[in-house]
Amino acid sequence: ESNLNAAYTFDNFVEGDCNRLARSAGYAVANKPGGTAFNPLLIYGGVGLGKTHLANAIGIGIKEQFPNKTVLYVSSEKFVHQFIDSIKNNTSNDFVHFYQMMDVLIIDDVQFFSGKEKTQDVFFHIFNHLHQNGKQIILTSDKAPVDIQGMEQRLLSRMKWGLSADLQAPELETRIAILEKKMYSNGIELSKEVVEYLAYSINTNVREIEGALNSLIAQASLNKKAITLDLAKQMIDKFVKNITREVSIEYIQKVVCDYFDIEIEILKSKTRKREIVQARQIAMFFSKKMTKSSLANIGAHCGGKDHATVLHACRTVNNLSETDKQFKAYLNDLEKKLSMQ
Ligand code: ADP
Ligand code: MG
């Protein structure tokens, strides 16, 4: 009921210059929750650099040493949805009390609270209660507090009370160490040259390194033979090309329309037919997720919608994907298609 991911431990978290401060602060917090100057501990950094992993590792470390402490890991999305539900059901007091009961509260991706004033309000009260009572708060964010837009000043200042530690992209040696660790724990062997080529070629983030490793492994088990350096190079180069290629809004619309078998012109029209509206929202969602286009620009491409409509579409798709398994499966399918080509 802590919601912690058992796979994300300190043991599995490879240390490097890129994460040394965050890791050691996390380790200190795990050994003395609420009893260090690192309260809150805010871990920030780009996508795939290990924020969620490290936050879970701290929670797991605390649970191991202090089994009686209540530890809760929650994503910001889930926190927001629970809060909204509690408003609908007139149970927001219960919501607040529930969170105020925790000894350790871990909230992942707090940048998601941006622009959500009521959520920030309620979190502010929870934060104060926990902090005053010496309870540990651990937050992650994709940006440094100063760079988070749309966050109340009083909350930002509290986030800076403890320690903010960043995660950087791992350096080559750390990438190799991460690969070796993953291979070892999965019982996989790749030649030193292949591992080095992979580590050398992919320097963006750990999630992509893992993705490339997994596709190599899949290939190896398909061919039932060892991966030669030549084959590895081919695959890795292709993988790198895919990472760096940004898909366009037009391309996303085409893939979504093919998938749901509708005409692009209809997607871009003003029709309010349910299936069309949903396909349009999905196209907006992926455009936001996979391109650097502004909300306004995405709206303009989808039949002259304004930025608020696009934002609403993204939220609707997010919400649905959490509650509707079938819908989530569509999204996963589409995401695969979009990131392949
Ligand atoms: P973020 O939350 O910052 O987007 P994650 O914590 O989800 O990133 O990490 C992405 C993947 O990379 C996960 O599978 C995680 O286990 C792995 N990972 C990240 N950093 C490390 C590390 N230092 N050592 C081992 N694995 C790591
Ligand atoms: Mg994460």
Side-chain angles (χ1 to χ4, degrees):
E1 11 97 27
S2 287
N3 267 329
L4 292 161
N5 183 338
Y8 288 160
T9 60
F10 274 113
D11 276 349
N12 292 338
F13 192 78
V14 175
E15 183 174 358
D17 289 341
C18 56
N19 59 37
R20 200 169 317 277
L21 174 67
R23 189 192 168 283
S24 64
Y27 200 72
V29 165
N31 287 308
K32 223 176 166 193
T36 68
F38 311 145
N39 199 16
L41 174 63
L42 178 90
I43 302 161
Y44 68 94
V47 45
L49 294 181
K51 301 181 294 295
T52 298
H53 187 141
L54 189 53
N56 275 277
I58 300 168
I60 291 168
I62 294 172
K63 262 298 182 195
E64 277 168 7
Q65 299 176 76
F66 310 94
N68 293 330
K69 283 201 189 290
T70 48
V71 178
L72 184 70
Y73 167 92
V74 65
S75 71
S76 301
E77 276 104 327
K78 188 163 171 194
F79 184 91
V80 170
H81 293 146
Q82 283 179 349
F83 176 51
I84 293 173
D85 282 346
S86 80
I87 297 174
K88 273 194 283 197
N89 301 328
N90 264 321
T91 55
S92 35
N93 282 338
D94 297 346
F95 173 86
V96 171
H97 286 144
F98 173 74
Y99 279 94
Q100 287 182 340
M101 262 167 22
M102 297 303 151
D103 294 316
V104 178
L105 177 61
I106 305 169
I107 304 194
D108 206 357
D109 288 317
V110 286
Q111 77 279 352
F112 186 74
F113 289 172
S114 288
K116 300 184 176 70
E117 287 171 25
K118 285 268 177 200
T119 302
Q120 291 178 34
D121 234 37
V122 81
F123 177 55
F124 181 77
H125 292 293
I126 292 168
F127 183 109
N128 287 341
H129 182 93
L130 292 176
H131 199 274
Q132 274 159 20
N133 289 287
K135 311 297 179 157
Q136 180 70 45
I137 301 156
I138 299 152
L139 307 172
T140 79
S141 162
D142 70 352
K143 294 179 201 66
V146 284
D147 296 326
I148 306 179
Q149 305 282 320
M151 200 75 97
E152 279 180 53
Q153 208 48 52
R154 57 179 191 168
L155 200 49
L156 281 179
S157 83
R158 271 165 180 72
M159 286 182 191
K160 289 185 273 192
W161 272 356
L163 178 77
S164 302
D166 68 329
L167 295 174
Q168 297 280 341
E171 47 285 344
L172 180 67
E173 293 78 0
T174 310
R175 300 200 295 275
I176 293 175
I178 289 173
L179 279 166
E180 285 176 345
K181 187 135 200 165
K182 306 258 173 218
M183 289 174 356
Y184 181 79
S185 61
N186 290 303
I188 294 142
E189 281 180 47
L190 291 174
S191 74
K192 199 158 153 279
E193 290 76 25
V194 169
V195 172
E196 278 174 9
Y197 190 78
L198 203 171
Y200 186 80
S201 307
I202 302 187
N203 57 9
T204 44
N205 69 57
V206 185
R207 189 170 297 151
E208 278 163 2
I209 293 170
E210 283 182 344
L213 178 63
N214 287 338
S215 65
L216 277 182
I217 294 166
Q219 189 67 34
S221 67
L222 214 64
N223 290 351
K224 294 211 183 352
K225 60 177 184 211
I227 295 274
T228 61
L229 183 57
D230 270 350
L231 178 58
K233 278 185 174 170
Q234 265 180 42
M235 294 191 55
I236 293 164
D237 291 350
K238 202 169 135 207
F239 198 91
V240 170
K241 229 162 88 203
N242 280 336
I243 298 175
T244 43
R245 191 210 64 245
E246 188 185 306
V247 298
S248 65
I249 298 179
E250 288 80 4
Y251 178 71
I252 291 171
Q253 290 177 336
K254 185 184 175 310
V255 173
V256 171
C257 285
D258 281 353
Y259 189 80
F260 292 113
D261 198 19
I262 50 185
E263 302 287 328
I264 290 209
E265 294 323 312
I266 297 180
L267 185 96
K268 292 182 172 180
S269 74
K270 305 238 181 266
T271 179
R272 306 279 314 148
K273 260 178 84 180
R274 201 171 166 279
E275 315 90 76
I276 311 289
V277 170
Q278 191 155 82
R280 191 185 291 133
Q281 288 181 327
I282 291 173
M284 289 176 176
F285 169 83
F286 281 118
S287 299
K288 175 78 184 78
K289 187 167 176 184
M290 304 180 97
T291 76
K292 294 194 174 68
S293 297
S294 65
L295 294 173
N297 188 37
I298 294 169
H301 277 80
C302 292
K305 304 286 189 287
D306 62 11
H307 85 282
T309 309
V310 180
L311 197 60
H312 173 73
C314 295
R315 289 193 181 141
T316 307
V317 171
N318 248 327
N319 290 350
L320 256 182
S321 74
E322 287 204 347
T323 52
D324 183 337
K325 284 221 173 71
Q326 179 63 53
F327 185 79
K328 173 95 184 155
Y330 287 151
L331 279 193
N332 286 344
D333 250 18
L334 270 166
E335 183 149 17
K336 244 184 245 148
K337 284 189 204 301
L338 285 168
S339 40
M340 260 170 7
Q341 65 108 50

